[in-house]
Amino acid sequence: MMKDTYFLKFPYAELCSQDGMSSFKICSYEYAYPDADNKYDLDWHKNYLILTVPRFKAEINEIILEGRLINHYIHELHSFSNLHKKKSFLNPWSLILN
């Protein structure tokens, strides 16, 4: 289990409910392939994810995501949190299908 203060050391995003009972956090903490010899392989990142809802907490480490997908998720969460959208689906296939 990673301490919440760990997130302060790296780029992270957090989405919380108004009552503070539920939250979604994602933190990118290092390159997945730091010795890659091209920009495409270098743009993969290790991520830590925490989902908290009443009576349930899930923590997943070393989720490897491409930088373009992370940017897409950040845009989706930003639109959702600013109430520009009523729903947000974090689907990795959405970048491939669009």
Side-chain angles (χ1 to χ4, degrees):
M1 183 186 306
M2 193 179 291
K3 296 183 184 232
D4 285 341
T5 56
Y6 188 77
F7 281 87
L8 300 176
K9 297 178 183 180
F10 303 100
Y12 74 96
E14 181 176 10
L15 183 64
C16 294
S17 63
Q18 289 180 339
D19 63 5
M21 300 284 291
S22 301
S23 68
F24 172 78
K25 295 180 188 178
I26 186 167
C27 168
S28 287
Y29 60 89
E30 68 182 36
Y31 288 108
Y33 312 108
D35 298 325
D37 61 359
N38 66 69
K39 67 180 181 178
Y40 302 106
D41 290 341
L42 190 59
D43 196 30
W44 289 87
H45 308 267
K46 289 183 181 179
N47 297 273
Y48 191 82
L49 200 150
I50 298 176
L51 173 65
T52 306
V53 294
R55 300 177 53 159
F56 179 79
K57 183 174 186 177
E59 296 186 39
I60 306 169
N61 193 8
E62 285 200 33
I63 299 171
I64 298 177
L65 300 172
E66 184 197 17
R68 189 172 62 131
L69 183 61
I70 295 169
N71 283 333
H72 173 73
Y73 285 173
I74 290 170
H75 175 74
E76 286 291 305
L77 291 173
H78 188 274
S79 294
F80 180 70
S81 68
N82 285 337
L83 302 177
H84 296 284
K85 295 178 129 183
K86 293 182 180 183
K87 294 181 184 177
S88 186
F89 295 101
L90 303 180
N91 179 359
W93 292 104
S94 60
L95 286 177
I96 296 169
L97 299 174
N98 288 331

